[in-house]
Amino acid sequence: MEELKQRGRKREGRHRDTWDPFQLNPIGAEKERKRTCFRILQNLVAVIVGLLVLVSGVMSKGSLLVLTTLTSPVSLRNDVDRQFYTLMLMCVLVMPNMLMFLKSLWKCVFKSYVAPNPKTLAIMCGIESLVAIGTAILVLIVMPRLDVLTNLCIPGGICILSAALQIAFRLQSQSWMILYPICSLILVISGYILLVVDYYVRETSHVPGQVEGCYIYVGIAIFASLLVSLNWWENPFQASTNIQEMLSQMDSFRDTVYVFTSVIRMALTLGVYFLYYCLIAETRIEWDAFTKASKGTVEIGLGLFFLQAFCSAACHWFGVVACKIHSVRFAFALPVSLTGPATLILGIILFLTQAESFAPSPETASLYVIENVTIHTPFWPFCHELQALKDLNTTPVVMLEITHSICKTSLNNPNAMWPFSMMALEGVCMWLGLVSCTYYVWKIKVQRIERTSQLFVRRLYESAFIDLSMLLNTKMKAVRSANKERLDRYRGDPKEEHKDCFDFECHIFVDDAFMVEKDTNTKLVNTYVSDLIQVVMEVYRVFTNKEPDEVSIIETPYGGRLAFVMPEGNMLFVHLKDKQLIRHKKRWSQIMYLYYLLGWKGYNVKNPQKITRQNNPSRASLISLDGESYLLPSHDNDMKRRHISDDNTYIMALDGDTDFHPGALILLVDRLRMYDNVGAACGRIHPTGMGPMVWYQKFEYAVGHWLQKTAEHVFGSVLCSPGCFSLFRGSALMDDNVLKRYTTKATQASEYVQYDQGEDRWLCTLLLQQGWRVEYNAASDAYTNSPQEFKEFYNQRRRWGPSTLANTLDLLHSGAETVKRNTSISMIYILYQIFTVASSILGPASVTLMVAGAFQFVFGIEGTLCIIIAVIPPTLYMIICFVTKPNFQITIAAILSVIYAFLMTASFFSIIGDMVKQGTFITPTGLFLVSGAILYMVTAILHPQECTLIIYGLMYFICIPSGYLLLTIYSLVNMHIVSWGTRESSKGKEQKKQVGVVCHRDCKMCCWDVKVQVTQETDSLVLQQLQQAVNPHAPAAKAEPNEPEEPKSQSTQEVHSSLDANKHILDLKDEEMTHKKDVSKENLNKDNDERDNCSDRSGSSKSYEKKIDDDTDYDDDDDSDDDYDYNEYDALEPKEVVPESDWVDPVKTEFLKKLTYANLKRNLQEQIRYTLRNKNQEDLCEELVLILTDTLNEELKDKVGPEDVLSVAQLEELQYALNEAARRIVKTNRIENGAQRLERRVKRAIERTLVAPQVEKLSEDEYDFWEKLLERYLHPIQDDKAHLEEVTRELKSLRNKAVFLYFIINVLWIVATFFLQAIGTEVLSINIPKYYPNGTLADEPLRVEPLSLMFLLSFAILLIVQFLAMLYHRVYTLIHVVSYRSTEKNYKEKDEEDEDEGLILGNPVNLTVTADDL
């Protein structure tokens, strides 16, 4: 309701100014906000992940403690059982090293292998050897000889080395934080002291169950803990500035190092195990005993082993997930820190609930006196009774052993129970020492999307100490004052309080933007450009309720350019391509903007052009860099790009009909920012439109993204990033053999198919062959128009099909070389792509056999005859495609598609009826149908926002013959046609209406047919003659004799004069205004003259120059604005008139509508409100709006009409009057601080309101760049007739070869199936047992042909592989979405004063202007 009221208030405000207050407010016009459902999802996921971390950690730690208890020499198990449990304990230590070895070996073999530095490898192997020895000694030798409570506490001491290194390196961001590691060190040492004292008391108090020589094992435990603490030595060193070179070098070959170290750790663990238990232990290993273990022992041992291994891996993975979803404190640090206490609490609960089964007998309960010594603890009889229960099968073995281990502690002290408090205090010290040592984990700020290697130092986790290893392995995000290098990994804008603010500019490239008017032979912009201008202005009004402030019209060698400054300062460029001057179509437009954005602009910012001082530039164009003066780049973004590497320059490629939200773009940026080898990323494309063809494409796109693209992403790399919505990395496009080769002009038949029919796929193929990875993000949604007509759909796929096959074969042909270069592509992935290509080639035959099966199901015809009938339609259609025109081919395909759809519908219901008739669905066809339906249903459910697309699955099913049989034939036979066939306008059908007509009358009488037309040219000529008669001394405007007359579109003399005069912004020296020029008037004109200098100087953008000028004013003192007067330089230098083409005037006239009386009033009000939006001056703002509106009304009342454009003289008078009124208002309000700054701000708002669109020219350097680019790469292609005929012959020859290959392969498949059918299933078939739904076995088995079964199994395996990849991808997509929503913030509008400060930060050298500069 509040939103309705707010919109109503806005509408009432518009209604006061115009009779047309109604407007379109498109969906998405409001700023993106967090949605409540995503907030709930974020919190729910964080809670679930935190609980999973805690549960898996407790289970891992608890199962390890149980295993160590079962292997104890004083346990109640026999030697055979203890020997088996010890083997399982050893396997627990080996398992994470085995997983690390397999993962690293996979990366080295199938990804990339980098030879390690021998010195670094030796150091790492030495450290890992010590860690492995310490871990094996502590877990395999020491912990079985200690009680379960000591084993729970003693691993906490392995943080001692990390605490010592933190103290030594002083890694804390604040000096007082050094208390954390100091306290940790003190607490750990205190815990060790309490451990020694506790065992001394046990020995002297004769606590039963103690291992002989327990002091030795306590000392060994402390020593082994010190060795284990070496495991995380790398973390403090990475956070400091020490040995950074070695650590950074090791990152490049870390996988290779892990291959060696994992093998060494496994070997040493096995060595310690066999060395101790074969040579040293009292009870040696008996090899025959492993076969004598009881079934219960084997089940318990294997169960504990798999539970510990699985829970350790799960705890590590869920911990990583918790960090990636930005829930480090509550889903990672808290549950991991509570793992130890939670394990203790769980053990106490189990002990209390199971204690009844261990109740002492009456006889044992009376034993309170032994050798005349009184027992002071009630725990003694309970522990004594346990000896009698060890052989009972009804007793829980695990709880019995845990209870027996507890009885070895001071709880069973016959004298007193108070020594047990030392053990409790020891546990508290160890736990607090760990928490204080890892205090930094609670303060870590994780970026939205992080790689695991950026979160944790080591990829390997320690399953024996899962909670400690995860905390100590978390990277220290220490703040270092020494190494102050600037990192561009994630460059946010300091002017914006939002993590996702990027330097952004938009370029729209209109292909074939001009047309020639037939009657006058005048080149004008076409209706597409006119509509685009109207849309930009309308959207601008939606967001700001005013017209665009600053617009530039620029003529270029390729046509023209329009530049808009958007409300928040972003730049929008519209490039108008003239196909007579530059090559048209999509690939050449891509080459055009890539060379412009990456080549020219990148070179320009790296080599700023130096200015000669004779040009006398204004202060706005100077920047001091090491005492040199340089010309600033055209726009603010160009200057900022100087500090941004090409790796962090991203190009978002879009089609004109693509719609998306900002979040979709940011999610793609995340993919490129997280992985340096990702060259491109694409999102989920949703086709839009209505009709059966769109319904088919909705499910087709869904299946393609759900299964195929996710499988490509998971197993290798996406092969095609669609040009309608893709993000590319600048450095990837600039790589060798990418952009340069992309400029290759097609000369051969295969090149026409690969290069020009699927340019997006070819560009991705070039990236893959150079070693770059292409990724897919399922959460990045974009919506694009899809073909709604059958003909348009077939023509689109006619281009896509051969291009897809050509690029895939090119990639497979260079597979061996690509595997060497690209770490994301392995030979297994190449084999997967070969299988998919083979499946697509056999698609027509497979669909033909499917149709034959449909005939057999529906009509009950014999199998061989069904195959013959099914082959006839595609064969006839192939002949039709060879001999008829494409339009007729499409018509026949449409008719056949309808027939096939009816047949597939009948087949669908026939299959269901057959399953009912057979009484079972366990048949090859039934299983395939049911399992496929279940798979697609589950896939749709896992995509909750898209699950309704499953409805279109039936449409997709009945259109399979059309999409995979008829369309394949049509695409192959028409391969020689290289035109796009979609989105192409007919030539010569568009004609612009008459432009610049003042009067048009037709007079028809009986014998007369008179046509009278007065155009702007004749009107201007009459006006010139009148002016010459009135003022003979005034120079008359002379038209160029060799140029055609420019059509004018104004309807009044004032508009015409404003068009001529506005070639220079408000540049008019009106002698009649001299009586008004006081001091404030001179200051006002000074700003206009400065702007004139900027607009006439080549290579400078008016909008940018004015922006820098205003910012420079803010940097100076309030009284320093009038120090220089540039009017004298304006008088010395003549203005250079920019020649205008025919198309400029109509475009400029459209933008001049902002200077009408009605628009000026609205623009002024909104400009004042926008300028003072963050100044806490609401009352002053409204007073300014009210009085300035009244001033505007007084100045223009009864002088101009509501829709009349003001002349330059009227704009001068109006600007002077508004400035004077603003000055009086600010002065009367008596603002204490910043009055002059506020006055300048208001004057700038008035100036922006009255500024006219500018006609500018390119700088000489940029003009030369475009000329050379056109000459080298983009000159219009003009092939002679002989070459075109030769290309046509080659294309037809290629077509014939491709059709023959397809035909032979598919015919062989069909013939093989036909003969198998003819031979009969009794002779050659595979018998499959047939089961009914009740589970009974049928008398006769199912007989299936080998080829059919092979095809079904292959397709089923492919679907299962893609389904598993989809599950994996879904999990990581959920992580990414939750992390994005957790870091999303509401936008804050930027303050213009903050912009000034941002520029100061970007250019710390003070700007100084001397007399020599002027």
Side-chain angles (χ1 to χ4, degrees):
M1 188 64 187
E2 185 63 29
E3 186 178 355
L4 294 175
K5 293 180 179 179
Q6 184 178 3
R7 290 204 303 266
R9 287 192 293 269
K10 290 183 178 180
R11 186 174 58 254
E12 290 177 2
R14 295 194 301 267
H15 208 173
R16 285 193 292 267
D17 300 326
T18 179
W19 55 267
D20 186 13
F22 318 108
Q23 71 175 19
L24 291 174
N25 194 5
I27 298 175
E30 67 279 356
K31 291 180 179 177
E32 192 176 16
R33 299 175 181 175
K34 289 185 179 180
R35 285 185 278 182
T36 305
C37 60
F38 279 110
R39 293 181 178 180
I40 297 174
L41 175 65
Q42 171 197 340
N43 296 328
L44 181 62
V45 171
V47 171
I48 294 175
V49 171
L51 289 175
L52 290 173
V53 170
L54 180 61
V55 172
S56 57
V58 170
M59 297 301 292
S60 172
K61 201 172 189 67
S63 56
L64 180 79
L65 293 175
V66 171
L67 273 176
T68 55
T69 303
L70 292 174
T71 57
S72 176
V74 294
S75 68
L76 302 179
R77 303 298 98 199
N78 56 42
D79 293 341
V80 174
D81 292 347
R82 283 197 294 268
Q83 182 174 313
F84 183 79
Y85 291 138
T86 305
L87 178 65
M88 294 296 101
L89 188 62
M90 185 270 296
C91 293
V92 165
L93 298 183
V94 171
M95 178 56 66
N97 295 283
M98 177 64 69
L99 296 177
M100 191 70 253
F101 171 75
L102 294 176
K103 183 177 180 180
S104 301
L105 184 65
W106 170 272
K107 289 188 175 182
C108 290
V109 174
F110 295 107
K111 298 291 184 178
S112 63
Y113 172 78
V114 180
N117 185 316
K119 181 180 178 181
T120 305
L121 180 62
I123 294 174
M124 291 297 297
C125 290
I127 295 175
E128 294 294 330
S129 300
L130 295 176
V131 172
I133 293 173
T135 304
I137 291 175
L138 182 62
V139 177
L140 297 178
I141 300 176
V142 177
M143 291 179 67
R145 281 154 179 78
L146 305 178
D147 61 87
V148 65
L149 296 181
T150 303
N151 290 336
L152 180 63
C153 301
I154 198 171
I158 62 178
C159 65
I160 186 170
L161 181 63
S162 179
L165 292 177
Q166 290 183 50
I167 298 172
F169 294 151
R170 297 184 177 272
L171 301 177
Q172 298 72 27
S173 57
Q174 300 179 11
S175 57
W176 64 269
M177 287 186 177
I178 199 173
L179 294 176
Y180 285 111
I182 291 177
C183 292
S184 174
L185 196 61
I186 295 174
L187 288 169
V188 171
I189 295 175
S190 302
Y192 282 141
I193 294 174
L194 289 172
L195 175 65
V196 174
V197 173
D198 179 43
Y199 270 84
Y200 173 77
V201 173
R202 294 187 196 183
E203 188 73 18
T204 56
S205 301
H206 303 286
V207 176
Q210 300 300 314
V211 179
E212 184 179 355
C214 59
Y215 287 116
I216 298 175
Y217 290 106
V218 171
I220 294 175
I222 297 175
F223 173 73
S225 298
L226 294 176
L227 292 181
V228 175
S229 65
L230 291 171
N231 202 6
W232 300 279
W233 67 273
E234 198 175 340
N235 199 357
F237 277 94
Q238 278 193 352
S240 68
T241 57
N242 297 277
I243 63 172
Q244 286 295 314
E245 183 178 356
M246 187 191 83
L247 294 177
S248 60
Q249 184 185 24
M250 190 173 66
D251 288 335
S252 60
F253 51 80
R254 191 175 290 272
D255 292 318
T256 310
V257 171
Y258 283 152
V259 170
F260 289 97
T261 56
S262 298
V263 173
I264 291 174
R265 292 189 62 160
M266 288 188 291
L268 289 175
T269 302
L270 291 171
V272 171
Y273 170 74
F274 288 113
L275 178 65
Y276 181 78
Y277 286 99
C278 290
L279 301 177
I280 301 176
E282 298 176 358
T283 304
R284 310 291 173 83
I285 292 179
E286 297 181 7
W287 302 105
D288 296 337
F290 290 113
T291 60
K292 299 178 182 178
S294 63
K295 181 180 179 182
T297 300
V298 174
E299 291 178 352
I300 293 174
L302 291 177
L304 289 173
F305 164 69
F306 286 113
L307 180 66
Q308 209 281 337
F310 174 78
C311 289
S312 298
C315 184
H316 176 262
W317 188 81
F318 284 119
V320 174
V321 171
C323 295
K324 289 186 176 182
I325 64 174
H326 296 262
S327 187
V328 179
R329 291 185 179 181
F330 300 105
F332 176 73
L334 181 62
V336 173
S337 300
L338 293 179
T339 298
T343 306
L344 178 62
I345 294 173
L346 178 63
I348 293 173
I349 293 174
L350 292 176
F351 173 76
L352 294 178
T353 55
Q354 299 292 327
E356 295 180 359
S357 59
F358 308 133
S361 62
E363 295 81 6
T364 309
S366 61
L367 296 177
Y368 279 90
V369 179
I370 297 178
E371 297 180 359
N372 298 323
V373 177
T374 303
I375 305 299
H376 296 282
T377 173
F379 210 79
W380 178 278
F382 178 84
C383 294
H384 186 78
E385 179 68 15
L386 296 178
Q387 296 288 338
L389 300 176
K390 65 178 181 179
D391 296 326
L392 297 179
N393 295 329
T394 58
T395 305
V397 174
V398 173
M399 286 306 305
L400 178 64
E401 292 297 339
I402 291 177
T403 307
H404 180 68
S405 180
I406 294 175
C407 289
K408 295 189 294 183
T409 64
S410 298
L411 282 175
N412 200 23
N413 192 320
N415 297 320
M417 292 181 61
W418 67 265
F420 182 74
S421 60
M422 288 189 296
M423 173 172 284
L425 189 59
E426 171 203 345
V428 172
C429 289
M430 291 294 188
W431 182 73
L432 290 178
L434 173 66
V435 173
S436 57
C437 178
T438 57
Y439 72 97
Y440 55 85
V441 178
W442 298 78
K443 293 180 169 293
I444 286 179
K445 293 182 179 179
V446 182
Q447 296 178 16
R448 178 172 57 253
I449 182 168
E450 286 275 22
R451 299 179 63 178
T452 306
S453 59
Q454 295 166 355
L455 295 172
F456 299 96
V457 178
R458 297 168 52 85
R459 298 174 190 167
L460 180 67
Y461 63 91
E462 297 294 332
S463 59
F465 324 104
I466 186 63
D467 52 339
L468 294 96
S469 68
M470 292 186 66
L471 290 174
L472 293 172
N473 199 29
T474 307
K475 275 193 174 181
M476 301 178 184
K477 305 288 184 178
V479 178
R480 303 187 297 271
S481 57
N483 190 14
K484 286 188 178 179
E485 59 181 353
R486 181 180 182 127
L487 298 180
D488 280 342
R489 274 194 62 249
Y490 175 54
R491 184 178 180 275
D493 194 335
K495 299 179 289 185
E496 178 68 66
E497 295 188 18
H498 192 274
K499 293 185 178 181
D500 294 316
C501 185
F502 305 95
D503 297 332
F504 173 82
E505 63 184 41
C506 177
H507 295 261
I508 300 176
F509 290 79
V510 184
D511 216 1
D512 193 9
F514 297 94
M515 68 177 184
V516 177
E517 190 177 348
K518 288 185 177 180
D519 296 339
T520 61
N521 199 27
T522 302
K523 183 173 72 173
L524 302 171
V525 295
N526 58 23
T527 56
Y528 297 106
V529 178
S530 301
D531 293 342
L532 177 61
I533 293 173
Q534 294 296 331
V535 167
V536 172
M537 297 180 68
E538 181 64 30
V539 173
Y540 201 100
R541 291 190 202 102
V542 167
F543 283 93
T544 64
N545 198 28
K546 59 187 179 69
E547 310 298 319
D549 290 332
E550 299 169 271
V551 180
S552 299
I553 305 171
I554 307 169
E555 295 185 65
T556 61
Y558 57 82
R561 182 192 303 168
L562 306 177
F564 299 86
V565 180
M566 303 311 287
E568 297 295 333
N570 291 325
M571 297 299 302
L572 171 63
F573 300 92
V574 180
H575 301 264
L576 309 178
K577 292 177 59 180
D578 186 352
K579 66 180 181 180
Q580 304 297 329
L581 303 175
I582 190 172
R583 293 179 192 176
H584 63 294
K585 292 194 175 180
K586 185 174 180 179
R587 181 160 73 98
W588 304 112
S589 293
Q590 290 177 324
I591 294 170
M592 172 185 174
Y593 69 69
L594 291 177
Y595 266 90
Y596 173 59
L597 298 176
L598 299 177
W600 164 249
K601 298 193 84 172
Y603 169 80
N604 195 30
V605 299
K606 292 178 176 63
N607 300 276
Q609 179 186 1
K610 188 174 180 180
I611 321 173
T612 57
R613 294 184 176 179
Q614 287 77 10
N615 288 341
N616 295 324
S618 62
R619 293 175 59 197
S621 65
L622 290 178
I623 184 168
S624 178
L625 295 172
D626 300 327
E628 297 287 341
S629 297
Y630 289 92
L631 179 65
L632 287 176
S634 298
H635 298 285
D636 191 25
N637 287 347
D638 293 339
M639 183 179 67
K640 293 177 182 178
R641 270 192 64 184
R642 192 181 304 172
H643 307 289
I644 304 175
S645 66
D646 294 327
D647 290 332
N648 294 328
T649 301
Y650 308 129
I651 293 180
M652 186 71 191
L654 297 168
D655 281 352
D657 54 8
T658 302
D659 187 20
F660 67 97
H661 285 283
L665 174 58
I666 295 174
L667 291 173
L668 293 185
V669 172
D670 288 340
R671 304 305 306 178
L672 271 69
R673 197 170 62 229
M674 184 169 70
Y675 295 103
D676 294 334
N677 65 331
V678 176
C682 62
R684 168 70 165 93
I685 309 300
H686 299 265
T688 58
M690 291 296 293
M693 292 311 306
V694 179
W695 299 341
Y696 171 84
Q697 291 174 85
K698 282 180 179 291
F699 190 79
E700 181 194 32
Y701 273 67
V703 172
H705 287 86
W706 290 351
L707 298 176
Q708 296 171 12
K709 255 190 169 50
T710 54
E712 291 178 353
H713 173 94
V714 172
F715 297 128
S717 175
V718 175
L719 297 186
C720 178
S721 185
C724 61
F725 186 69
S726 296
L727 187 71
F728 294 92
R729 189 189 299 274
S731 58
L733 296 172
M734 299 170 69
D735 199 1
D736 298 339
N737 300 324
V738 179
L739 185 54
K740 189 69 174 179
R741 190 180 174 193
Y742 196 58
T743 61
T744 304
K745 177 185 173 183
T747 56
Q748 301 177 2
S750 59
E751 293 176 351
Y752 277 97
V753 175
Q754 182 180 4
Y755 296 179
D756 294 330
Q757 298 296 288
E759 60 287 327
D760 303 324
R761 187 173 286 271
W762 184 41
L763 181 58
C764 291
T765 302
L766 295 176
L767 290 174
L768 294 174
Q769 290 173 337
Q770 280 300 110
W772 295 95
R773 174 177 168 82
V774 181
E775 291 200 345
Y776 164 62
N777 189 295
S780 179
D781 296 309
Y783 303 85
T784 185
N785 291 342
S786 58
Q788 302 186 39
E789 301 296 333
F790 190 83
K791 176 182 177 181
E792 187 181 3
F793 172 76
Y794 258 52
N795 283 329
Q796 182 194 65
R797 300 310 169 92
R798 184 254 302 157
R799 291 188 296 109
W800 288 6
S803 169
T804 299
L805 184 61
N807 280 282
T808 306
L809 292 177
D810 182 21
L811 185 65
L812 296 179
H813 178 71
S814 62
E817 186 66 26
T818 304
V819 168
K820 294 178 182 178
R821 289 191 173 195
N822 198 319
T823 59
S824 300
I825 296 180
S826 62
M827 288 306 301
I828 296 178
Y829 182 69
I830 294 295
L831 294 176
Y832 168 79
Q833 288 298 331
I834 291 175
F835 181 76
T836 57
V837 169
S839 300
S840 64
I841 292 176
L842 290 173
S846 303
V847 174
T848 302
L849 295 176
M850 182 187 297
V851 173
F855 275 114
Q856 188 174 7
F857 270 112
V858 175
F859 302 107
I861 307 175
E862 188 180 352
T864 54
L865 183 58
C866 289
I867 293 177
I868 295 174
I869 296 173
V871 167
I872 293 174
T875 305
L876 293 177
Y877 182 67
M878 185 185 302
I879 297 173
I880 291 172
C881 290
F882 270 103
V883 299
T884 61
K885 298 292 184 182
N887 287 340
F888 184 75
Q889 302 170 24
I890 293 176
T891 303
I892 298 300
I895 296 172
L896 290 176
S897 297
V898 174
I899 297 174
Y900 276 130
F902 283 117
L903 180 63
M904 293 299 293
T905 304
S907 173
F908 176 74
F909 289 104
S910 297
I911 293 173
I912 297 176
D914 181 69
M915 288 189 294
V916 174
K917 183 179 177 180
Q918 296 252 359
T920 180
F921 66 90
I922 308 178
T923 63
T925 307
L927 281 175
F928 183 77
L929 183 65
V930 174
S931 60
I934 294 174
L935 185 142
Y936 285 123
M937 286 292 295
V938 174
T939 303
I941 292 172
L942 293 176
H943 295 77
Q945 292 181 316
E946 308 171 25
C947 61
T948 55
L949 297 179
I950 196 68
I951 299 172
Y952 304 116
L954 183 60
M955 181 71 184
Y956 180 81
F957 175 78
I958 65 177
C959 291
I960 284 177
S962 177
Y964 291 90
L965 177 60
L966 302 179
L967 181 57
T968 303
I969 296 173
Y970 175 78
S971 301
L972 289 174
V973 177
N974 292 279
M975 188 188 295
H976 63 286
I977 302 175
V978 294
S979 64
W980 273 38
T982 57
R983 302 183 185 180
E984 290 183 339
S985 58
S986 300
K987 297 180 180 179
K989 290 187 178 180
E990 187 178 21
Q991 181 175 358
K992 186 80 173 180
K993 63 182 180 179
Q994 294 292 336
V995 179
V997 177
V998 178
C999 178
H1000 183 88
R1001 292 291 183 270
D1002 289 336
C1003 181
K1004 295 183 179 181
M1005 292 184 291
C1006 56
C1007 297
W1008 295 87
D1009 189 359
V1010 181
K1011 182 177 181 180
V1012 180
Q1013 186 180 81
V1014 181
T1015 62
Q1016 186 65 43
E1017 292 90 336
T1018 58
D1019 184 42
S1020 300
L1021 184 58
V1022 173
L1023 291 174
Q1024 291 173 9
Q1025 293 175 354
L1026 291 174
Q1027 291 174 359
Q1028 193 71 16
V1030 174
N1031 188 8
H1033 300 288
K1038 296 182 180 180
E1040 294 290 337
N1042 296 329
E1043 294 183 359
E1045 294 182 353
E1046 297 180 0
K1048 308 296 180 182
S1049 58
Q1050 297 294 342
S1051 58
T1052 63
Q1053 179 180 355
E1054 289 182 347
V1055 175
H1056 174 58
S1057 62
S1058 65
L1059 278 172
D1060 293 335
N1062 274 308
K1063 292 175 183 175
H1064 308 290
I1065 312 162
L1066 301 181
D1067 181 25
L1068 183 66
K1069 299 194 179 291
D1070 194 348
E1071 297 180 357
E1072 297 179 359
M1073 299 288 294
T1074 54
H1075 63 282
K1076 294 184 178 180
K1077 288 193 175 181
D1078 53 7
V1079 177
S1080 62
K1081 177 65 177 178
E1082 292 177 0
N1083 295 336
L1084 171 66
N1085 287 338
K1086 180 198 67 174
D1087 297 334
N1088 294 333
D1089 294 330
E1090 287 179 0
R1091 189 172 65 256
D1092 290 340
N1093 275 339
C1094 301
S1095 64
D1096 287 319
R1097 188 176 60 257
S1098 62
S1100 62
S1101 169
K1102 181 256 167 191
S1103 59
Y1104 179 73
E1105 302 280 15
K1106 187 165 73 64
K1107 180 178 177 183
I1108 295 296
D1109 183 31
D1110 292 336
D1111 293 334
T1112 306
D1113 288 341
Y1114 282 122
D1115 294 341
D1116 296 338
D1117 296 332
D1118 291 340
D1119 299 331
S1120 63
D1121 300 319
D1122 305 328
D1123 294 342
Y1124 301 101
D1125 188 357
Y1126 299 106
N1127 287 329
E1128 54 180 336
Y1129 296 104
D1130 294 339
L1132 293 175
E1133 294 185 0
K1135 296 293 191 296
E1136 180 184 356
V1137 178
V1138 180
E1140 297 180 4
S1141 299
D1142 297 333
W1143 63 271
V1144 174
D1145 265 351
V1147 174
K1148 184 176 180 181
T1149 302
E1150 191 64 35
F1151 294 123
L1152 276 175
K1153 291 179 181 179
K1154 69 168 286 189
L1155 299 180
T1156 61
Y1157 178 20
N1159 288 335
L1160 276 177
K1161 185 161 56 174
R1162 185 183 72 252
N1163 294 346
L1164 178 62
Q1165 294 172 355
E1166 296 301 327
Q1167 191 73 59
I1168 295 296
R1169 292 191 180 102
Y1170 178 80
T1171 303
L1172 303 180
R1173 64 195 182 280
N1174 294 329
K1175 297 301 158 190
N1176 298 323
Q1177 299 282 351
E1178 290 81 4
D1179 296 337
L1180 175 61
C1181 179
E1182 292 305 319
E1183 183 180 357
L1184 281 167
V1185 169
L1186 181 62
I1187 295 180
L1188 292 181
T1189 304
D1190 292 340
T1191 304
L1192 186 144
N1193 290 332
E1194 291 175 1
E1195 290 291 325
L1196 301 181
K1197 187 178 181 181
D1198 301 330
K1199 296 182 181 179
V1200 294
E1203 303 299 330
D1204 293 341
V1205 177
L1206 273 65
S1207 65
V1208 175
Q1210 291 171 329
L1211 290 173
E1212 285 278 348
E1213 294 179 2
L1214 180 60
Q1215 185 175 5
Y1216 172 73
L1218 292 175
N1219 283 339
E1220 284 297 309
R1223 185 181 62 81
R1224 290 194 299 269
I1225 296 169
V1226 174
K1227 186 175 181 180
T1228 54
N1229 277 269
R1230 297 182 179 179
I1231 299 175
E1232 296 181 359
N1233 297 322
Q1236 293 186 8
R1237 175 172 294 187
L1238 183 63
E1239 181 180 347
R1240 287 199 306 272
R1241 188 180 292 272
V1242 175
K1243 287 183 178 181
R1244 181 166 59 179
I1246 296 171
E1247 178 188 357
R1248 287 179 176 176
T1249 304
L1250 302 179
V1251 69
Q1254 309 306 310
V1255 179
E1256 302 179 359
K1257 61 179 293 187
L1258 295 178
S1259 66
E1260 294 181 3
D1261 289 340
E1262 185 174 354
Y1263 191 90
D1264 182 63
F1265 156 74
W1266 285 114
E1267 289 286 345
K1268 292 180 179 178
L1269 181 64
L1270 293 175
E1271 178 185 357
R1272 190 174 301 179
Y1273 300 115
L1274 298 177
H1275 189 73
I1277 299 175
Q1278 296 177 352
D1279 292 328
D1280 56 4
K1281 186 177 180 180
H1283 176 71
L1284 293 176
E1285 292 177 353
E1286 179 64 24
V1287 169
T1288 303
R1289 283 194 299 270
E1290 290 182 4
L1291 284 169
K1292 289 184 177 181
S1293 175
L1294 178 65
R1295 183 269 310 269
N1296 296 334
K1297 294 176 183 177
V1299 171
F1300 179 76
L1301 178 64
Y1302 256 80
F1303 181 78
I1304 289 297
I1305 294 176
N1306 285 273
V1307 165
L1308 289 175
W1309 182 267
I1310 294 174
V1311 168
T1313 307
F1314 175 81
F1315 278 105
L1316 287 175
Q1317 287 276 358
I1319 292 172
T1321 56
E1322 291 80 5
V1323 179
L1324 186 61
S1325 63
I1326 297 176
N1327 295 331
I1328 299 177
K1330 178 181 177 181
Y1331 289 92
Y1332 292 108
N1334 58 6
T1336 60
L1337 180 64
D1339 296 334
E1340 294 186 2
L1342 292 171
R1343 292 183 174 89
V1344 186
E1345 303 162 11
L1347 282 179
S1348 300
L1349 183 61
M1350 183 183 69
F1351 172 76
L1352 287 176
L1353 288 178
S1354 302
F1355 191 72
I1357 292 172
L1358 180 63
L1359 279 180
I1360 292 173
V1361 168
Q1362 292 178 345
F1363 181 77
L1364 295 176
M1366 183 272 301
L1367 293 177
Y1368 179 86
H1369 194 265
R1370 281 279 85 192
V1371 172
Y1372 282 92
T1373 300
L1374 177 64
I1375 294 172
H1376 194 180
V1377 171
V1378 173
S1379 65
Y1380 168 68
R1381 295 298 175 182
S1382 64
T1383 58
E1384 189 182 16
K1385 292 184 178 180
N1386 294 326
Y1387 285 89
K1388 283 189 176 182
E1389 292 181 332
K1390 294 185 291 186
D1391 191 2
E1392 294 183 7
E1393 289 184 359
D1394 296 336
E1395 295 178 7
D1396 305 337
E1397 296 174 1
L1399 287 174
I1400 294 173
L1401 292 175
N1403 178 28
V1405 182
N1406 292 327
L1407 178 66
T1408 57
V1409 180
T1410 63
D1412 294 336
D1413 297 326
L1414 303 177

